[in-house]
Amino acid sequence: MQPLFRPLSAVDLDAMQRVEQAAHAHPWSRRLLADSFGERYFTGSFWLREQLLGYFIADRILDESTLMNICVSPAWQGQGLGRQLMEQYLCGCEQRGLTRLWLEVRASNLPAQALYHSCGYVENGRRRHYYQSASGSEDAVLMQMLVQK
Ligand SMILES: CC(C)(COP(=O)(O)OP(=O)(O)OC[C@H]1O[C@@H](n2cnc3c(N)ncnc32)[C@H](O)[C@@H]1OP(=O)(O)O)[C@@H](O)C(=O)NCCC(=O)NCCS
């Protein structure tokens, strides 16, 4: 059975929080997740038999978008879902005419960086000591992709 793709809505909050806490070492709060349904944001998610497998949250301003959050439930990682979420995100950007794409990722998060590189993002800077980490702090890697219209 193929996972179903659809946008998230406020009724998905409990499922999002479960995946968020399982997937991320530093998960977003429920409040932050709940704030992701405003006009400024767009989202996507994969579901199998009412189980949330993974999702993305992005914002949009003029022709720019920032990928704010992407995660796949640990049991489903490494099976191509993260790449499918990225494809859906990029498709959503194209449909909305968003051409300047940004994201930030922890310097230690090499799997996510590999995914972003393979989708066409390039590193264009770092914010030193931007994130809290187990060892104190770590850098944010800033990545950008410019899409031709
Ligand atoms: C990053 C994440 C979304 C990727 O999702 P996924 O479903 O595991 O990824 P996929 O199976 O689609 O793999 C896509 C690519 O990611 C990279 N990747 C995935 N797992 C990897 C690993 N363990 N080591 C190195 N690269 C890895 C590879 O480039 C892979 O492409 P390939 O299969 O052609 O080599 C997922 O690991 C996750 O939820 N991580 C925790 C949350 C997180 O870190 N989010 C990003 C915050 S910026």
Side-chain angles (χ1 to χ4, degrees):
M1 188 183 268
Q2 284 285 21
L4 181 83
F5 180 80
R6 67 163 171 80
L8 292 161
S9 74
V11 297
D12 301 322
L13 201 49
D14 286 343
M16 289 169 67
Q17 194 175 16
R18 277 195 293 277
V19 172
E20 179 74 17
Q21 290 185 344
H24 284 286
H26 303 272
W28 281 17
S29 67
R30 187 178 177 89
R31 175 68 191 269
L32 207 49
L33 291 171
D35 284 345
S36 307
F37 303 115
E39 259 300 286
R40 194 182 134 185
Y41 300 98
F42 66 103
T43 62
S45 59
F46 279 112
W47 297 78
L48 191 65
R49 293 186 209 94
E50 318 230 333
Q51 184 194 355
L52 178 59
L53 309 183
Y55 59 86
F56 73 79
I57 298 167
D59 78 356
R60 55 177 164 175
I61 300 173
L62 301 175
D63 63 344
E64 300 193 14
S65 175
T66 300
L67 181 64
M68 315 284 292
N69 191 339
I70 181 169
C71 61
V72 171
S73 183
W76 289 87
Q77 289 179 11
Q79 300 173 50
L81 272 180
R83 188 175 297 286
Q84 287 185 58
L85 281 169
M86 283 303 298
E87 287 167 0
Q88 292 286 352
Y89 166 62
L90 295 174
C91 184
C93 288
E94 190 182 348
Q95 288 167 352
R96 292 168 175 83
L98 306 171
T99 53
R100 291 147 58 85
L101 313 185
W102 309 91
L103 61 81
E104 294 173 5
V105 54
R106 287 175 181 266
S108 63
N109 194 346
L110 300 181
Q113 288 172 47
L115 172 60
Y116 303 144
H117 275 300
S118 71
C119 290
Y121 283 83
V122 293
E123 180 176 338
N124 79 334
R126 288 195 176 221
R127 290 191 216 281
R128 297 281 166 212
H129 310 296
Y130 184 71
Y131 293 111
Q132 287 185 335
S133 73
S135 59
S137 69
E138 71 174 305
D139 294 351
V141 178
L142 312 182
M143 301 185 83
Q144 179 190 38
M145 175 159 43
L146 301 178
V147 180
Q148 300 295 325
K149 269 198 180 171

